[in-house]
Amino acid sequence: HSADTICTWLCTTSVLLLSQSSAVKIGAANVLFEFCKQSEKRAAKANPLDQRPNEWTYNQQLFQRSGAMELVAEAIKMEVKHLFRNDVDGDGRISQAEYERAYGILANDENPQPQVSTVSLMKLVRELAAYRDNALSLNRENVPNQLVKVVSQLVDFRKEEIKLMIQILWSVLEHSVERISASQVASTRMQLIDKFRHANALFCLGNAETIGMLRSLLERMLLEGYKASDKELRNEVLIISSLLARRQRNLAHFRETGFLSLLILYATAAENELPTGCEERHYATSDPLDLEMKYLLWYLIKALCQDSTNLIVVQESLFVSSLLFYMHPGRKLRHWSEQQLRGLQKEAMLILGSMVPIMPKGQLGQEEVARVATFLRYCHEVGDEELLVDVLELALVLVRQLPQELLGALPLKLIVQHMDTAESAALIVASLDNAALKPVRKSDQALELLLGMAADPTCGSNRQIAALACLHRVARNQSSLLELAARGGVERLLDSLEQTAAIELKGVFLAVLADAISEGGKHVDALVREWRSPHTGRSAAALALDTWLEACGPPESARLDRGQALSVVSSRVGSTNRASAALRQALLAAQSFMTPDLERRVLQSAVDVRDRVVAFVGAMGFSTIERADLTRDQRALLALAENYAIIAQDEAWEEVELPVRPIFADRAFLQSQRDRARKAVEQSERAMRDEEDAKDRDGSLEDEALWSAIRDKRDQAIQARKVKNQVSLMKRRLELKQRQKAREQMPPPPQESAMTASVDAVVVETDPHQQNA
């Protein structure tokens, strides 16, 4: 049949849903249900390359195209009105007797199994809500709120239509969340309103009536529901509540309706033995459905904490202490298996770690830190590496959020032992202040481990940066720095700098070395100056300047053209603070490992490597660097680096001057800064030109030496040929004399002797050069 024919048939059949006869309505709903029902056969495709929709999707599209959704919505409204008309006592609740009266169920039937029109209609709506466009049409017709009224009025939560309605609400909420999260942009105002209002189930159901219904239904199921089907429905109610909590404006309704208090009660009752009014077998057994409920409660409460008032309610409750309850070493709970307890421990630490950053200062104290430290020692003793990593990540969150004086209970030496296997351990050490790091600075094992991690590219850039951050703390303490230098740490850092491939990571190495030179004084400075590359023989200054050349190429002008990256200028004397600032930015990037992978940024490319090169060379002293160890490009770059900070200030003042119009005094100050920077630029360009001229002169001298060598070789060749010719001529003359003497001893015939004598005379009188030619 054609699509138009099928659409006409759908409309005709849907009209029957408005009939006054229950049998007709049930028959029409069943026929439409069979048409829209999803099955494996309808979802499958004969050819995987076929881009056409499968049978189920095509049927749903036809239902949407036919316009029958409006008839289905109208039928639902009629069913709701019919049900409420049978509320005889007017209490707003549909009892079992009133329900039987509404659908004509006889109480004296021994085995009544009548077909209720609402059940058949809800089965059809559930299939329609599985398709996104039809679910959005149901939202536009306000069908979800009609279902909420029915669920809130029915007393018996075990009725089949209640389960169907909960599943329908789940489907429409999921489709609304997916549509809002999609990147599709509304092109008109009407589309925007439809996306966020009319077709958005989060908006339609974001009211106190819906959340109050969910609270009432959940409470009834907790008090009376002990079957597996009851617990499944209970967890579906929690899932719907979690979807509603994704809209910020819905969060206050959870508190106002008492839903939040109910959630906190059952999330903390088993751990703190609180009275709930229901048996523990309804919610606190080792059944997987009860374990799933525990997780749903925790994550729903965490989502509700996004509201500041809800967060206060949660803080005043026993929720945090209930999470810490699972971090008691070796605790055995009677209703949780060992595997379930392990999963609860991991989830408790994850949720607590996500809640600590939004809690106000002072909420967690020494007791909570001590609990985490004790559990950390326990995981280390039993050798549970997986659980140990989770505890270290929680400890890292505590280190970042809590004052340093509360962190004394953390086993720092134990954390240092796991720095090579867990990057969170390295970041914990990097986040501590100088006083807390005293055991690390005095530990030979810790220093050796830090140097090994910094030099090992296979451990990952996160751990390398964390190790460098720890070494930076060591470098800021003079006694620890001398101990590090005595172990060859300065030379090993320089070797690692040369072997590192990442430019940004090289900048972190330079930042650590710059501060080490500033803090270590002459001893560390001498080590840096004496160092030579074991591969190329370069000096430390040449290595740093080569990092600039590798990142930016040779300088063609004294202008930096760095844009926004270097608008902040050092406030300390010299350029050493640039190294510290660059290191801190790199550490902030490294500490983002707790965020999702798409937001993770290990190294910030916005931090210019030239800042760090200038900091390192400036710490060595621009005027004290041995120029003989540098190439011409490196010497030109050194001249630019010496005025680098002034030129950076000039660029910063240019950015300040553009958007504002300063007064005369400020304009004079800006002009003086510009003049100062201009002189620095001219000085740098002059030095660069001098290096270029010297390079040209050296090139001319080299060319002249080359041509002189060529001429000398040519003259030597000519002279050698002359000597060779003279030797050959003397030899020939000697031979002639010997032959002449032999002839004289043998008297020749008269004629022949005369002819030979004349020929010999001619040969003797011939010029030697002409003979050679």
PDB file of all heavy atoms in Angstrom, residues 558-562 639-641 643-653 676-678 680-682 684:
ATOM      1  N   ALA A 558      63.506  42.642  16.051  1.00  0.00           N
ATOM      2  CA  ALA A 558      63.440  42.692  17.506  1.00  0.00           C
ATOM      3  C   ALA A 558      62.009  42.670  18.009  1.00  0.00           C
ATOM      4  O   ALA A 558      61.773  42.482  19.187  1.00  0.00           O
ATOM      5  CB  ALA A 558      64.136  43.962  18.014  1.00  0.00           C
ATOM      6  N   ARG A 559      61.036  42.882  17.129  1.00  0.00           N
ATOM      7  CA  ARG A 559      59.641  42.802  17.539  1.00  0.00           C
ATOM      8  C   ARG A 559      59.264  41.348  17.812  1.00  0.00           C
ATOM      9  O   ARG A 559      59.643  40.457  17.061  1.00  0.00           O
ATOM     10  CB  ARG A 559      58.732  43.369  16.436  1.00  0.00           C
ATOM     11  CG  ARG A 559      58.781  44.887  16.382  1.00  0.00           C
ATOM     12  CD  ARG A 559      58.175  45.486  17.642  1.00  0.00           C
ATOM     13  NE  ARG A 559      58.266  46.939  17.635  1.00  0.00           N
ATOM     14  CZ  ARG A 559      57.833  47.695  18.630  1.00  0.00           C
ATOM     15  NH1 ARG A 559      57.325  47.138  19.695  1.00  0.00           N
ATOM     16  NH2 ARG A 559      57.934  49.005  18.586  1.00  0.00           N
ATOM     17  N   LEU A 560      58.474  41.143  18.876  1.00  0.00           N
ATOM     18  CA  LEU A 560      58.181  39.775  19.308  1.00  0.00           C
ATOM     19  C   LEU A 560      56.926  39.224  18.656  1.00  0.00           C
ATOM     20  O   LEU A 560      56.850  38.055  18.333  1.00  0.00           O
ATOM     21  CB  LEU A 560      58.002  39.745  20.833  1.00  0.00           C
ATOM     22  CG  LEU A 560      59.188  40.277  21.632  1.00  0.00           C
ATOM     23  CD1 LEU A 560      58.877  40.213  23.112  1.00  0.00           C
ATOM     24  CD2 LEU A 560      60.445  39.501  21.314  1.00  0.00           C
ATOM     25  N   ASP A 561      55.894  40.072  18.480  1.00  0.00           N
ATOM     26  CA  ASP A 561      54.622  39.660  17.879  1.00  0.00           C
ATOM     27  C   ASP A 561      54.041  38.455  18.597  1.00  0.00           C
ATOM     28  O   ASP A 561      53.683  37.458  18.008  1.00  0.00           O
ATOM     29  CB  ASP A 561      54.802  39.336  16.387  1.00  0.00           C
ATOM     30  CG  ASP A 561      55.256  40.552  15.601  1.00  0.00           C
ATOM     31  OD1 ASP A 561      54.862  41.658  16.002  1.00  0.00           O
ATOM     32  OD2 ASP A 561      55.986  40.389  14.616  1.00  0.00           O
ATOM     33  N   ARG A 562      53.924  38.563  19.898  1.00  0.00           N
ATOM     34  CA  ARG A 562      53.447  37.435  20.677  1.00  0.00           C
ATOM     35  C   ARG A 562      51.973  37.522  21.002  1.00  0.00           C
ATOM     36  O   ARG A 562      51.396  36.612  21.552  1.00  0.00           O
ATOM     37  CB  ARG A 562      54.230  37.334  21.995  1.00  0.00           C
ATOM     38  CG  ARG A 562      55.714  37.141  21.817  1.00  0.00           C
ATOM     39  CD  ARG A 562      56.450  37.462  23.100  1.00  0.00           C
ATOM     40  NE  ARG A 562      56.155  38.815  23.494  1.00  0.00           N
ATOM     41  CZ  ARG A 562      55.589  39.138  24.636  1.00  0.00           C
ATOM     42  NH1 ARG A 562      55.282  38.229  25.465  1.00  0.00           N
ATOM     43  NH2 ARG A 562      55.351  40.394  24.931  1.00  0.00           N
ATOM     44  N   ALA A 639      71.273  38.844  22.233  1.00  0.00           N
ATOM     45  CA  ALA A 639      71.100  40.304  22.262  1.00  0.00           C
ATOM     46  C   ALA A 639      69.624  40.677  22.335  1.00  0.00           C
ATOM     47  O   ALA A 639      69.248  41.642  23.010  1.00  0.00           O
ATOM     48  CB  ALA A 639      71.760  40.926  21.029  1.00  0.00           C
ATOM     49  N   LEU A 640      68.779  39.927  21.646  1.00  0.00           N
ATOM     50  CA  LEU A 640      67.341  40.186  21.717  1.00  0.00           C
ATOM     51  C   LEU A 640      66.783  39.794  23.079  1.00  0.00           C
ATOM     52  O   LEU A 640      65.937  40.500  23.643  1.00  0.00           O
ATOM     53  CB  LEU A 640      66.631  39.412  20.603  1.00  0.00           C
ATOM     54  CG  LEU A 640      65.097  39.453  20.607  1.00  0.00           C
ATOM     55  CD1 LEU A 640      64.602  40.875  20.489  1.00  0.00           C
ATOM     56  CD2 LEU A 640      64.540  38.587  19.493  1.00  0.00           C
ATOM     57  N   ALA A 641      67.235  38.677  23.625  1.00  0.00           N
ATOM     58  CA  ALA A 641      66.713  38.210  24.906  1.00  0.00           C
ATOM     59  C   ALA A 641      67.054  39.172  26.037  1.00  0.00           C
ATOM     60  O   ALA A 641      66.307  39.270  27.022  1.00  0.00           O
ATOM     61  CB  ALA A 641      67.269  36.822  25.219  1.00  0.00           C
ATOM     62  N   ASN A 643      66.892  42.347  26.062  1.00  0.00           N
ATOM     63  CA  ASN A 643      65.882  43.414  26.121  1.00  0.00           C
ATOM     64  C   ASN A 643      64.460  42.855  25.984  1.00  0.00           C
ATOM     65  O   ASN A 643      63.530  43.589  25.656  1.00  0.00           O
ATOM     66  CB  ASN A 643      66.136  44.442  25.017  1.00  0.00           C
ATOM     67  CG  ASN A 643      67.455  45.158  25.185  1.00  0.00           C
ATOM     68  OD1 ASN A 643      67.744  45.689  26.261  1.00  0.00           O
ATOM     69  ND2 ASN A 643      68.273  45.164  24.151  1.00  0.00           N
ATOM     70  N   TYR A 644      64.324  41.587  26.228  1.00  0.00           N
ATOM     71  CA  TYR A 644      63.042  40.917  25.994  1.00  0.00           C
ATOM     72  C   TYR A 644      61.936  41.484  26.881  1.00  0.00           C
ATOM     73  O   TYR A 644      60.819  41.743  26.423  1.00  0.00           O
ATOM     74  CB  TYR A 644      63.225  39.423  26.254  1.00  0.00           C
ATOM     75  CG  TYR A 644      62.021  38.573  25.994  1.00  0.00           C
ATOM     76  CD1 TYR A 644      61.713  38.139  24.712  1.00  0.00           C
ATOM     77  CD2 TYR A 644      61.193  38.170  27.029  1.00  0.00           C
ATOM     78  CE1 TYR A 644      60.625  37.347  24.469  1.00  0.00           C
ATOM     79  CE2 TYR A 644      60.098  37.379  26.797  1.00  0.00           C
ATOM     80  CZ  TYR A 644      59.817  36.962  25.519  1.00  0.00           C
ATOM     81  OH  TYR A 644      58.736  36.179  25.289  1.00  0.00           O
ATOM     82  N   ALA A 645      62.214  41.659  28.171  1.00  0.00           N
ATOM     83  CA  ALA A 645      61.180  42.122  29.097  1.00  0.00           C
ATOM     84  C   ALA A 645      60.706  43.524  28.741  1.00  0.00           C
ATOM     85  O   ALA A 645      59.509  43.827  28.834  1.00  0.00           O
ATOM     86  CB  ALA A 645      61.720  42.099  30.529  1.00  0.00           C
ATOM     87  N   ILE A 646      61.615  44.380  28.310  1.00  0.00           N
ATOM     88  CA  ILE A 646      61.222  45.755  27.959  1.00  0.00           C
ATOM     89  C   ILE A 646      60.327  45.739  26.718  1.00  0.00           C
ATOM     90  O   ILE A 646      59.328  46.467  26.641  1.00  0.00           O
ATOM     91  CB  ILE A 646      62.479  46.613  27.722  1.00  0.00           C
ATOM     92  CG1 ILE A 646      63.335  46.632  29.002  1.00  0.00           C
ATOM     93  CG2 ILE A 646      62.107  48.019  27.309  1.00  0.00           C
ATOM     94  CD1 ILE A 646      64.647  47.368  28.842  1.00  0.00           C
ATOM     95  N   ILE A 647      60.677  44.910  25.749  1.00  0.00           N
ATOM     96  CA  ILE A 647      59.851  44.829  24.539  1.00  0.00           C
ATOM     97  C   ILE A 647      58.484  44.242  24.876  1.00  0.00           C
ATOM     98  O   ILE A 647      57.453  44.665  24.331  1.00  0.00           O
ATOM     99  CB  ILE A 647      60.566  43.981  23.471  1.00  0.00           C
ATOM    100  CG1 ILE A 647      61.927  44.608  23.136  1.00  0.00           C
ATOM    101  CG2 ILE A 647      59.728  43.856  22.219  1.00  0.00           C
ATOM    102  CD1 ILE A 647      62.773  43.752  22.222  1.00  0.00           C
ATOM    103  N   ALA A 648      58.440  43.280  25.788  1.00  0.00           N
ATOM    104  CA  ALA A 648      57.158  42.717  26.208  1.00  0.00           C
ATOM    105  C   ALA A 648      56.308  43.774  26.893  1.00  0.00           C
ATOM    106  O   ALA A 648      55.089  43.833  26.709  1.00  0.00           O
ATOM    107  CB  ALA A 648      57.391  41.532  27.144  1.00  0.00           C
ATOM    108  N   GLN A 649      56.925  44.634  27.677  1.00  0.00           N
ATOM    109  CA  GLN A 649      56.187  45.731  28.298  1.00  0.00           C
ATOM    110  C   GLN A 649      55.616  46.668  27.244  1.00  0.00           C
ATOM    111  O   GLN A 649      54.490  47.144  27.365  1.00  0.00           O
ATOM    112  CB  GLN A 649      57.103  46.497  29.251  1.00  0.00           C
ATOM    113  CG  GLN A 649      57.430  45.755  30.532  1.00  0.00           C
ATOM    114  CD  GLN A 649      58.334  46.569  31.433  1.00  0.00           C
ATOM    115  OE1 GLN A 649      58.790  47.637  31.059  1.00  0.00           O
ATOM    116  NE2 GLN A 649      58.601  46.037  32.620  1.00  0.00           N
ATOM    117  N   ASP A 650      56.378  46.915  26.213  1.00  0.00           N
ATOM    118  CA  ASP A 650      55.903  47.778  25.138  1.00  0.00           C
ATOM    119  C   ASP A 650      54.645  47.194  24.504  1.00  0.00           C
ATOM    120  O   ASP A 650      53.669  47.904  24.245  1.00  0.00           O
ATOM    121  CB  ASP A 650      57.000  47.946  24.088  1.00  0.00           C
ATOM    122  CG  ASP A 650      56.546  48.834  22.929  1.00  0.00           C
ATOM    123  OD1 ASP A 650      55.747  49.760  23.182  1.00  0.00           O
ATOM    124  OD2 ASP A 650      56.978  48.586  21.793  1.00  0.00           O
ATOM    125  N   GLU A 651      54.650  45.904  24.244  1.00  0.00           N
ATOM    126  CA  GLU A 651      53.471  45.285  23.662  1.00  0.00           C
ATOM    127  C   GLU A 651      52.291  45.330  24.625  1.00  0.00           C
ATOM    128  O   GLU A 651      51.143  45.506  24.219  1.00  0.00           O
ATOM    129  CB  GLU A 651      53.786  43.844  23.282  1.00  0.00           C
ATOM    130  CG  GLU A 651      54.769  43.740  22.129  1.00  0.00           C
ATOM    131  CD  GLU A 651      54.951  42.308  21.662  1.00  0.00           C
ATOM    132  OE1 GLU A 651      54.393  41.410  22.308  1.00  0.00           O
ATOM    133  OE2 GLU A 651      55.635  42.105  20.654  1.00  0.00           O
ATOM    134  N   ALA A 652      52.558  45.163  25.920  1.00  0.00           N
ATOM    135  CA  ALA A 652      51.482  45.249  26.900  1.00  0.00           C
ATOM    136  C   ALA A 652      50.894  46.657  26.943  1.00  0.00           C
ATOM    137  O   ALA A 652      49.675  46.843  27.006  1.00  0.00           O
ATOM    138  CB  ALA A 652      51.998  44.840  28.279  1.00  0.00           C
ATOM    139  N   TRP A 653      51.765  47.699  26.878  1.00  0.00           N
ATOM    140  CA  TRP A 653      51.255  49.070  26.890  1.00  0.00           C
ATOM    141  C   TRP A 653      50.480  49.386  25.621  1.00  0.00           C
ATOM    142  O   TRP A 653      49.528  50.165  25.650  1.00  0.00           O
ATOM    143  CB  TRP A 653      52.423  50.047  27.064  1.00  0.00           C
ATOM    144  CG  TRP A 653      52.986  50.089  28.451  1.00  0.00           C
ATOM    145  CD1 TRP A 653      54.261  49.809  28.817  1.00  0.00           C
ATOM    146  CD2 TRP A 653      52.277  50.407  29.655  1.00  0.00           C
ATOM    147  NE1 TRP A 653      54.409  49.926  30.168  1.00  0.00           N
ATOM    148  CE2 TRP A 653      53.202  50.304  30.721  1.00  0.00           C
ATOM    149  CE3 TRP A 653      50.969  50.752  29.929  1.00  0.00           C
ATOM    150  CZ2 TRP A 653      52.839  50.541  32.031  1.00  0.00           C
ATOM    151  CZ3 TRP A 653      50.616  50.990  31.255  1.00  0.00           C
ATOM    152  CH2 TRP A 653      51.542  50.888  32.285  1.00  0.00           C
ATOM    153  N   ARG A 676      61.156  54.100  25.990  1.00  0.00           N
ATOM    154  CA  ARG A 676      62.105  53.164  26.584  1.00  0.00           C
ATOM    155  C   ARG A 676      62.135  51.864  25.795  1.00  0.00           C
ATOM    156  O   ARG A 676      63.209  51.308  25.519  1.00  0.00           O
ATOM    157  CB  ARG A 676      61.698  52.905  28.035  1.00  0.00           C
ATOM    158  CG  ARG A 676      62.554  51.893  28.772  1.00  0.00           C
ATOM    159  CD  ARG A 676      62.212  51.948  30.261  1.00  0.00           C
ATOM    160  NE  ARG A 676      62.843  50.866  30.995  1.00  0.00           N
ATOM    161  CZ  ARG A 676      62.244  49.727  31.325  1.00  0.00           C
ATOM    162  NH1 ARG A 676      60.986  49.528  30.972  1.00  0.00           N
ATOM    163  NH2 ARG A 676      62.880  48.803  32.005  1.00  0.00           N
ATOM    164  N   ALA A 677      60.978  51.387  25.436  1.00  0.00           N
ATOM    165  CA  ALA A 677      60.921  50.145  24.665  1.00  0.00           C
ATOM    166  C   ALA A 677      61.512  50.335  23.272  1.00  0.00           C
ATOM    167  O   ALA A 677      62.167  49.439  22.741  1.00  0.00           O
ATOM    168  CB  ALA A 677      59.473  49.658  24.576  1.00  0.00           C
ATOM    169  N   ARG A 678      61.296  51.514  22.687  1.00  0.00           N
ATOM    170  CA  ARG A 678      61.830  51.764  21.342  1.00  0.00           C
ATOM    171  C   ARG A 678      63.350  51.754  21.362  1.00  0.00           C
ATOM    172  O   ARG A 678      63.996  51.233  20.447  1.00  0.00           O
ATOM    173  CB  ARG A 678      61.304  53.100  20.824  1.00  0.00           C
ATOM    174  CG  ARG A 678      61.583  53.335  19.345  1.00  0.00           C
ATOM    175  CD  ARG A 678      61.001  54.651  18.872  1.00  0.00           C
ATOM    176  NE  ARG A 678      59.554  54.668  19.031  1.00  0.00           N
ATOM    177  CZ  ARG A 678      58.896  55.388  19.935  1.00  0.00           C
ATOM    178  NH1 ARG A 678      59.580  56.147  20.798  1.00  0.00           N
ATOM    179  NH2 ARG A 678      57.594  55.367  20.010  1.00  0.00           N
ATOM    180  N   ALA A 680      65.152  50.079  23.443  1.00  0.00           N
ATOM    181  CA  ALA A 680      65.554  48.672  23.585  1.00  0.00           C
ATOM    182  C   ALA A 680      65.467  47.945  22.254  1.00  0.00           C
ATOM    183  O   ALA A 680      66.328  47.109  21.920  1.00  0.00           O
ATOM    184  CB  ALA A 680      64.673  47.987  24.633  1.00  0.00           C
ATOM    185  N   VAL A 681      64.421  48.235  21.493  1.00  0.00           N
ATOM    186  CA  VAL A 681      64.283  47.600  20.172  1.00  0.00           C
ATOM    187  C   VAL A 681      65.434  48.008  19.269  1.00  0.00           C
ATOM    188  O   VAL A 681      66.042  47.177  18.576  1.00  0.00           O
ATOM    189  CB  VAL A 681      62.931  47.980  19.550  1.00  0.00           C
ATOM    190  CG1 VAL A 681      62.870  47.542  18.092  1.00  0.00           C
ATOM    191  CG2 VAL A 681      61.789  47.360  20.334  1.00  0.00           C
ATOM    192  N   GLU A 682      65.765  49.328  19.259  1.00  0.00           N
ATOM    193  CA  GLU A 682      66.872  49.789  18.426  1.00  0.00           C
ATOM    194  C   GLU A 682      68.190  49.159  18.856  1.00  0.00           C
ATOM    195  O   GLU A 682      69.004  48.775  18.010  1.00  0.00           O
ATOM    196  CB  GLU A 682      66.958  51.315  18.499  1.00  0.00           C
ATOM    197  CG  GLU A 682      65.757  52.020  17.876  1.00  0.00           C
ATOM    198  CD  GLU A 682      65.825  53.523  18.084  1.00  0.00           C
ATOM    199  OE1 GLU A 682      66.756  53.974  18.793  1.00  0.00           O
ATOM    200  OE2 GLU A 682      64.948  54.238  17.558  1.00  0.00           O
ATOM    201  N   SER A 684      68.581  46.272  20.344  1.00  0.00           N
ATOM    202  CA  SER A 684      68.571  44.864  19.957  1.00  0.00           C
ATOM    203  C   SER A 684      68.805  44.704  18.464  1.00  0.00           C
ATOM    204  O   SER A 684      69.588  43.844  18.024  1.00  0.00           O
ATOM    205  CB  SER A 684      67.245  44.217  20.362  1.00  0.00           C
ATOM    206  OG  SER A 684      67.047  44.300  21.756  1.00  0.00           O
TER     207      SER A 684
END
